[in-house]
């Protein structure tokens, strides 16, 4: 793999001069890119135990409702992260037929809902429950609106994000 970054000594903050270019022919290069450039609600420690990341904490309110308290954070582009950003990420990924190339076991069911209760609180409702919900959050990337509006996972050849990120 070859990677390099460019910077503009003139001081302009955003643009192609701040681009990281990665040349990696691996069909799973998206793993390295997404897991090293985006955050998730939780991470997994060296012992395989889920730990908070963008979420400060989570708890099951009942057998079908998971509540997450999000931490105060700011994206690299200066946009603040909050519960609405979590919901945006959830909604965008739920639009796809199969959001996770490694396997459908990482997908949330179609009837799962997500609500931004306030700036810090997210409630996810899993009709019938989902014992793997917290693990699935590890694979739900939470980029800024700039990512969704300008870049995204869409393959320019197919016009779709299905299986191409």
């Amino acid at each position: 793999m070859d990677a390099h970054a460019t910077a503009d000594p003139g001081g302009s903050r955003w643009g192609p001069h701040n681009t990281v270019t990665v040349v990696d022919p691996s069909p799973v290069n998206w793993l390295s890119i997404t897991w090293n450039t985006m955050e998730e609600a939780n991470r997994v420690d060296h012992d395989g135990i889920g730990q908070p990341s963008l979420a400060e904490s989570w708890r099951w309110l009942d057998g079908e409702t998971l509540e997450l308290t999000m931490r105060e954070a700011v994206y690299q582009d200066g946009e603040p992260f909050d519960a609405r950003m979590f919901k945006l990420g959830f909604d965008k990924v739920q639009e796809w037929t199969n959001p996770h190339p490694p396997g459908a076991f990482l997908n949330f069911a179609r009837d799962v809902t997500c609500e931004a209760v306030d700036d810090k609180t997210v409630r996810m409702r899993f009709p019938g429950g989902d014992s793997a919900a917290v693990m699935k959050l590890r694979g739900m990337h939470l980029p800024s609106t700039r990512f969704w509006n300008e870049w995204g996972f869409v393959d320019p050849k197919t016009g779709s994000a299905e299986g191409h990120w």
Side-chain angles (χ1 to χ4, degrees), residues 48-130:
I49 307 298
Q51 301 294 326
S53 187
L54 280 176
E56 282 181 359
S57 62
W58 55 83
R59 66 187 177 122
W60 287 95
L61 300 180
D62 56 42
E64 296 184 342
T65 309
L66 178 63
E67 183 175 88
L68 297 97
T69 301
M70 309 314 290
R71 75 177 68 248
E72 196 171 309
V74 177
Y75 287 103
Q76 297 91 329
D77 64 5
E79 181 176 16
F81 172 81
D82 61 20
R84 288 179 300 275
M85 296 303 293
F86 181 99
K87 180 174 173 28
L88 174 66
F90 174 83
D91 290 346
K92 288 286 194 180
V93 171
Q94 283 294 91
E95 292 174 2
W96 304 336
T97 302
N98 186 26
H100 295 92
F105 69 94
L106 289 171
N107 300 342
F108 291 111
R110 292 285 160 213
D111 59 354
V112 174
T113 60
C114 179
E115 172 191 10
V117 177
D118 57 36
D119 287 348
K120 290 192 71 166
T121 309
V122 171
R123 282 200 193 117
M124 298 180 75
R125 182 140 174 82
F126 299 85
D130 185 345

